[in-house]
Amino acid sequence: MPGTYTQPRYEYRPHPVDAERAPVVIVGGGLVGLTAALDLARRGLRVVLLDEDDTVSFGSRAICFAKRSLEIFARLGVGEKFLAKGITWNQGRVFFQSREAYSFNLLPEDGHEFPAFVNLQQYYAEQWLVEACVESGLVDLRWQSRVTGIAAHPDGALLTIETPEGAYTLHADWLLAADGARSFIREALGLSFTGQVFRDRFLIADVVMSAPFPTERWFWFDPPFHPGQSVLLHKQPDDVWRIDFQLGWDADPELEKDPERVRRRVTDMLGPDVPFDLEWVSVYTFRCRRMERFRHGRVFFLGDAAHQVSPFGARGGNGGVQDADNLCWKLAAVLRGDAPEALLDSYEAERIPAADENILHSSRSTDFITPKTEAARAWRDAVLELAEDWALARPFVNSGRLSRPTTLLDSPLNGPDQSPGMAPPGTPAPDAPLLRGDQRGWLLRQIGADGGFTLLAREVVPVPLPGITTLLIADTPRAGAWHDHSGLAAARYGLSPGECVLLRPDQHIAARFTTAAPEPILAARDKALGR
């Protein structure tokens, strides 16, 4: 199959002396492991990353990067590359049989730096993260290094690593397992991974073509070119289109991957006059499951190693990126001595509910897309019939509830909410445009820019507080403040003049205050640090 992308090959370097010790080791050099490595490096920490391969992922894989993930990548210094290369989209369409049922817009309002989604092949994201890790000078990327043994101890984990030159051992004071759905670390420690296997199969085809389709997400139920099943279409960069065909549980995976068989399916969809090439083909069966705990002593599990969802809704890769975003600032605070080790318990206190939310949405999407009984199919088809003319039916259509960040309302780190309303504690910080003189900026670019806490204050100048950067917004231009010229910052945060919001390093709201009195603000910061 012809390719539009050339895989980089990363050099193996001879391993260091045996029995080395490292403060942080990450196992798995995919999207999540690389995000975690770069996040820790941006916070000044040295990291060893182990990966058994010598390149980035093959095939498009995770292609829909959600707004929250793009904001995280912007904080890490690579967000602009996603916008420059990726395919931006906010609009989606749902089809039933031969007609359109309805369309939707995921970002109907202006005033955000990033769109609802950017489509981009996962290998580009991983390549950029590798390059940024190398440029940081703080990430020791060890390719062709396969972990074959682990012994967990109260002070870390002892790893046995197989390389082209033989095996060596490495002691990790803290270990982050981002080694995917078949996690060796999880299996070697004998940890359960329970959930549901969905009895269906899907074909992924990356198709290279020049097609007249718009830059939108198109989902078909029971189309005439693939009757009784579903099909999903997404545009990617380089004239690559991702097509997912539902096959049914009885389909033979090896037979379905035959290129000529795939070509017939694509031709039935596009018509005989549309030329195309196949770049990558895969057949998958998906699962919705998770570990009972994400922290085991000094070993943490992230991404698919900790939880799995179906691909409908783009919740897998985005959820893993948000795992890294949640954990890394806490681990950095502990290693710097700014927080007690108990802060790290909040990782699973916050990310297990997020995983459960993703699994719930993913399972419901799957049940709607692949009804298990005739009654369920009749109900689904009736909803799709009604959706064309009746807006009240459209919320029941479920072609994948698309990824949104979890609001951590029950987080043990949340502080007081003195001004209830918009954006309570635990909410991911909303973005807004700002001005300072001739300089245009975005609010999220100012939050956590130095790796610490931020106090967002409207029309009030708080006293300087240790460990907290003040971000002033004003209704009119004034020295030392960003001008909230659109009023969106005040509106989205629900801030009246004189009020403040404390934000965590991961751009989540920690507490809200009606005044800038320092004592409650410092107390909320200490609570958010687990002190």
Side-chain angles (χ1 to χ4, degrees):
M1 295 182 188
T4 59
Y5 177 77
T6 301
Q7 301 285 137
R9 294 292 172 182
Y10 301 118
E11 182 182 1
Y12 166 76
R13 292 181 289 106
H15 63 77
V17 296
D18 199 30
E20 180 192 10
R21 192 176 189 116
V24 181
V25 175
I26 299 172
V27 178
L31 177 68
V32 176
L34 289 166
T35 300
L38 183 58
D39 198 327
L40 291 169
R42 293 289 187 243
R43 301 178 192 282
L45 298 178
R46 293 193 173 274
V47 180
V48 173
L49 187 145
L50 305 169
D51 192 84
E52 62 186 23
D53 209 342
D54 67 346
T55 187
V56 295
S57 61
F58 288 91
S60 56
R61 301 190 184 274
I63 65 166
C64 295
F65 290 92
K67 180 175 182 289
R68 181 62 199 134
S69 296
L70 297 171
E71 292 164 350
I72 293 167
F73 289 132
R75 179 176 59 77
L76 299 179
V78 294
E80 293 84 354
K81 294 187 176 185
F82 284 76
L83 283 183
K85 180 69 175 179
I87 302 296
T88 296
W89 67 278
N90 296 315
Q91 186 87 5
R93 297 185 187 276
V94 176
F95 300 87
F96 181 46
Q97 296 174 349
S98 60
R99 62 189 185 277
E100 181 178 330
Y102 75 102
S103 63
F104 57 87
N105 190 332
L106 294 168
L107 195 67
E109 60 180 13
D110 294 327
H112 297 268
E113 181 179 9
F114 290 98
F117 283 90
V118 163
N119 284 358
L120 180 81
Q121 296 92 324
Q122 183 173 323
Y123 44 71
Y124 281 119
E126 291 180 4
Q127 178 182 337
W128 298 334
L129 289 166
V130 169
E131 291 167 355
C133 284
V134 171
E135 290 170 2
S136 75
L138 294 174
V139 181
D140 182 357
L141 292 162
R142 301 186 184 179
W143 305 104
Q144 300 184 60
S145 299
R146 182 166 63 94
V147 178
T148 58
I150 177 173
H153 302 291
D155 64 344
L158 183 65
L159 303 174
T160 302
I161 302 161
E162 191 69 39
T163 75
E165 293 188 332
Y168 72 100
T169 59
L170 172 65
H171 185 279
D173 293 341
W174 299 92
L175 179 65
L176 277 57
D179 51 343
R182 297 182 178 88
S183 170
F184 171 82
I185 302 297
R186 186 187 64 239
E187 293 180 2
L189 293 177
L191 302 173
S192 62
F193 200 37
T194 57
Q196 181 180 4
V197 178
F198 289 89
R199 293 173 61 84
D200 211 330
R201 302 188 198 279
F202 288 79
L203 169 73
I204 299 176
D206 278 356
V207 177
V208 184
M209 62 179 176
S210 297
F213 301 117
T215 306
E216 299 174 344
R217 179 188 193 260
W218 284 15
F219 195 102
W220 287 266
F221 290 95
D222 192 19
F225 56 83
H226 194 51
Q229 307 286 11
S230 63
V231 178
L232 174 64
L233 175 70
H234 270 292
K235 185 178 182 180
Q236 305 175 77
D238 305 328
D239 288 328
V240 178
W241 295 76
R242 165 81 164 266
I243 309 176
D244 291 49
F245 293 95
Q246 183 185 359
L247 299 176
W249 179 245
D250 295 330
D252 183 328
E254 293 306 314
L255 179 64
E256 292 295 344
K257 286 190 290 186
D258 177 72
E260 289 308 310
R261 190 177 183 91
V262 177
R263 285 182 176 278
R264 287 196 297 271
R265 290 196 185 280
V266 176
T267 298
D268 289 344
M269 176 183 177
L270 301 176
D273 299 327
V274 179
F276 65 87
D277 289 308
L278 296 178
E279 182 169 81
W280 177 64
V281 171
S282 181
V283 173
Y284 64 88
T285 296
F286 52 81
R287 298 162 173 81
C288 289
R289 56 184 179 173
R290 72 163 172 85
M291 299 176 67
E292 182 179 357
R293 302 284 302 275
F294 294 176
R295 179 187 182 185
H296 292 265
R298 290 196 166 196
V299 181
F300 296 86
F301 292 85
L302 301 84
D304 284 353
H307 46 76
Q308 272 186 282
V309 294
S310 79
F312 300 109
R315 293 175 177 270
N318 288 299
V321 169
Q322 290 162 39
D323 287 346
D325 182 55
N326 185 283
L327 175 61
C328 289
W329 75 269
K330 299 170 182 177
L331 183 57
V334 170
L335 291 177
R336 288 195 304 261
D338 294 337
E341 188 176 321
L343 172 64
L344 298 172
D345 290 334
S346 68
Y347 167 63
E348 62 179 13
E350 294 182 338
R351 292 311 297 168
I352 284 178
D356 287 344
E357 180 179 307
N358 286 333
I359 288 171
L360 175 63
H361 284 299
S362 184
S363 299
R364 287 176 174 173
S365 297
T366 303
D367 288 341
F368 192 86
I369 293 166
T370 62
K372 306 304 184 290
T373 66
E374 286 305 313
R377 182 177 293 276
W379 181 85
R380 184 200 72 177
D381 291 352
V383 168
L384 290 166
E385 289 274 8
L386 290 169
E388 185 173 358
D389 297 314
W390 298 90
L392 59 86
R394 293 168 190 167
F396 295 98
V397 177
N398 195 336
S399 62
R401 295 283 185 258
L402 290 158
S403 177
R404 297 176 63 87
T406 300
T407 299
L408 310 173
L409 293 178
D410 297 321
S411 170
L413 306 185
N414 287 347
D417 187 358
Q418 295 181 0
S419 56
M422 298 290 292
T427 302
D431 206 1
L434 299 173
L435 287 175
R436 187 158 58 187
D438 296 332
Q439 179 184 359
R440 293 183 176 273
W442 294 97
L443 194 150
L444 282 183
R445 294 283 189 163
Q446 321 308 318
I447 296 174
D450 61 354
F453 285 79
T454 302
L455 186 67
L456 176 64
R458 179 186 178 192
E459 295 289 349
V460 63
V461 181
V463 299
L465 299 173
I468 300 174
T469 299
T470 299
L471 173 61
L472 303 178
I473 60 171
D475 300 343
T476 57
R478 58 184 270 191
W482 284 92
H483 178 202
D484 183 18
H485 60 289
S486 65
L488 289 174
R492 289 173 180 168
Y493 286 83
L495 280 176
S496 297
E499 294 186 338
C500 304
V501 171
L502 181 66
L503 296 124
R504 300 173 2 173
D506 62 350
Q507 299 179 334
H508 280 67
I509 293 174
R512 300 175 57 91
F513 305 96
T514 54
T515 72
E519 291 80 7
I521 295 171
L522 291 171
R525 180 209 58 192
D526 288 348
K527 184 177 183 182
L529 285 170
R531 293 179 180 171

